[in-house]
Amino acid sequence: MKVVLFCHSLSSDWNHGNAHFLRGVVTELTLRGHDVHSYEPRDAWSVQNLLAEHGELAARAVEAAYPDLPIHRYDLSPLLGGDGLDRALDDADLVLVHEWNDPALVAAIGRHRARHGGYRVLFHDTHHRSVTQPEAMARYDLSAYDGVLAFGEAVRQVYLRAGWSRRVWTWHEAADTRVFKPLRPAGSLDADLEGDLVWVGNWGDDERTAELHAFLLDPVRALGLVGTVHGVRYPAHGIAALGEAGLSFAGWLPNFEVPRVFARHRMTVHVPRRPYATALPGVPTIRVFEALACGIPLLCAPWDDAEGLFRPGTDYLVARDGAEMTRHMRAVATDPELARELGEQGRQTVLARHTCAHRVDELMSICQELDVTTQAQLPPSARSEVAR
């Protein structure tokens, strides 16, 4: 099957967490023998920031870590003009269009599908804008799309209620377990650790400032823990607050390096942005899947696992407030058996239910439901019939 993906970027994960899951899905599809092509804008914002801050060496490191990603870079005007989309979508069977694309491109793909395509096209939403910026999402013309892949049931319901699409499937993110796995050597000693706690995440445009103080900075300070924070777009006052709590700020970390950093710390935390915690219950960020896949004990600020993806209290510990988070951190730091059990249980749940292989299985089921037909096996005269 020929699969064409339009996304913001696979090349860069600088402030672009969607790259994590999409890289894993593309890798899984390719290993299963599908012909995958990914298109991203040449001037992608994430790529430009990565190059500005870290240079070509960082970009080449991504290429070395993912040598088989089928990336095509485009300029929007030429792609939309002439036969640009015709060439990109030639003989496509399935087209996936991520929500972080220019609305003009999203609409143009829909028009192409209506005029020419024997392929199926799905919109993929992995953001909270459907509830925080509905007017922005309403700009996307999905009238010719076959449906939407929503990364949580709450998001699926938003699409159905708003009438943005008649067919919407819940398609959660997941961990690429070829990359995210335990890397701490068996029998390693506490002396081998770099710190007690590591957090990988961005400050969050004030979407979780109070939560970061309550569930990360204050407990770390109270316990005298040491650790590291990785992320981008931190204001000066945020970096200062980390230092005051005893945490070192280490800036951007390539996502494929996260398992190595997890292996050198006792625990990590999940502090969801406010829109996810309050408006989109049941939607964890990609970091939850990845941390559990690495077998590091995970402590969570409040979020409602409304869809029963995990086993709260078994796969990870949930803190209802800062005081409870402090108790959880103390317990994990001082009880090796508790830490080991949390790490093992969380990883087993991911391996059983939440890998990119599981998500590709789900995608294949959706393709069967949509009666996706391989265009390369059809005579040209028959391809237009499939689109009807």
Side-chain angles (χ1 to χ4, degrees):
M1 182 169 68
K2 181 176 179 180
V3 182
V4 181
L5 167 69
F6 289 88
C7 64
H8 175 72
S9 181
L10 295 185
S11 305
S12 172
D13 54 49
W14 191 98
N15 200 63
H16 178 41
N18 302 131
H20 309 183
F21 176 57
L22 293 175
R23 286 169 177 167
V25 168
V26 168
T27 299
E28 181 68 26
L29 286 167
T30 301
L31 289 173
R32 295 191 188 194
H34 298 289
D35 180 21
V36 185
H37 299 264
S38 174
Y39 287 82
E40 63 182 61
R42 195 178 309 278
D43 61 350
W45 174 84
S46 178
V47 175
Q48 296 306 310
N49 279 281
L50 175 64
L51 292 174
E53 285 198 2
H54 301 280
E56 290 288 345
L57 284 178
R60 287 200 289 270
V62 174
E63 294 173 359
Y66 296 94
D68 299 321
L69 289 180
I71 297 172
H72 306 273
R73 295 179 176 86
Y74 67 83
D75 297 305
L76 185 60
S77 294
L79 181 70
L80 299 185
D83 62 350
L85 276 182
D86 289 338
R87 288 184 283 109
L89 299 174
D90 182 44
D91 281 339
D93 302 302
L94 175 66
V95 179
L96 302 176
V97 183
H98 190 261
E99 54 88 15
W100 198 354
N101 273 295
D102 191 296
L105 174 61
V106 175
I109 292 171
R111 291 193 298 269
H112 187 279
R113 162 72 170 84
R115 290 196 309 266
H116 307 296
Y119 54 83
R120 301 300 187 216
V121 58
L122 297 171
F123 189 69
H124 181 207
D125 192 338
T126 57
H127 201 271
H128 59 66
R129 289 191 301 162
S130 59
V131 293
T132 59
Q133 301 177 41
E135 67 287 348
M137 298 308 295
R139 294 173 54 204
Y140 290 111
D141 180 3
L142 305 179
S143 58
Y145 281 58
D146 294 286
V148 172
L149 302 173
F151 80 142
E153 177 62 20
V155 179
R156 188 180 83 90
Q157 292 298 330
V158 170
Y159 271 81
L160 293 174
R161 287 195 301 268
W164 293 336
S165 180
R166 290 176 296 176
R167 305 188 75 175
V168 189
W169 293 267
T170 298
W171 198 48
H172 283 284
E173 294 181 308
D176 180 357
T177 50
R178 295 179 184 86
V179 176
F180 289 87
K181 54 191 175 184
L183 293 182
R184 188 177 182 185
S188 58
L189 304 175
D190 286 352
D192 299 323
L193 297 176
E194 293 180 355
D196 299 299
L197 179 146
V198 60
W199 186 60
V200 184
N202 304 327
W203 191 255
D205 298 324
D206 204 32
E207 288 180 344
R208 56 181 166 200
T209 302
E211 291 85 350
L212 286 174
H213 280 276
F215 293 98
L216 175 62
L217 304 183
D218 293 347
V220 165
R221 182 190 299 108
L223 294 172
L225 302 180
V226 295
T228 308
V229 171
H230 289 274
V232 302
R233 301 176 68 194
Y234 273 71
H237 67 85
I239 296 175
L242 295 178
E244 292 167 3
L247 296 170
S248 300
F249 178 63
W252 174 73
L253 179 69
N255 196 48
F256 55 84
E257 292 284 0
V258 168
R260 175 185 59 80
V261 173
F262 278 165
R264 297 178 181 177
H265 293 81
R266 297 181 192 276
M267 69 189 89
T268 190
V269 297
H270 170 50
V271 184
R273 295 172 187 260
R274 208 164 300 126
Y276 293 119
T278 59
L280 293 175
V283 182
T285 71
I286 187 70
R287 297 291 187 191
V288 172
F289 298 107
E290 293 173 344
L292 296 179
C294 289
I296 185 172
L298 176 65
L299 312 179
C300 292
W303 73 279
D304 180 11
D305 184 14
E307 297 181 52
L309 301 176
F310 306 106
R311 298 170 296 173
T314 299
D315 297 332
Y316 54 81
L317 300 180
V318 181
R320 290 165 292 184
D321 52 34
E324 189 167 24
M325 179 63 84
T326 302
R327 292 194 294 273
H328 287 335
M329 287 185 183
R330 180 186 293 111
V332 171
T334 58
D335 187 341
E337 182 59 25
L338 171 64
R340 184 195 62 79
E341 185 71 12
L342 281 172
E344 289 184 0
Q345 293 294 333
R347 176 165 166 76
Q348 288 306 313
T349 295
V350 169
L351 293 178
R353 302 179 58 192
H354 302 305
T355 70
C356 287
H358 289 106
R359 298 303 180 257
V360 170
D361 288 342
E362 294 165 9
L363 182 62
M364 293 300 101
S365 295
I366 293 169
C367 287
Q368 288 184 330
E369 188 175 339
L370 291 172
D371 193 25
V372 173
T373 304
T374 302
Q375 297 300 299
Q377 297 175 349
L378 293 174
S381 60
R383 292 177 189 171
S384 61
E385 295 297 322
V386 178
R388 295 184 184 140

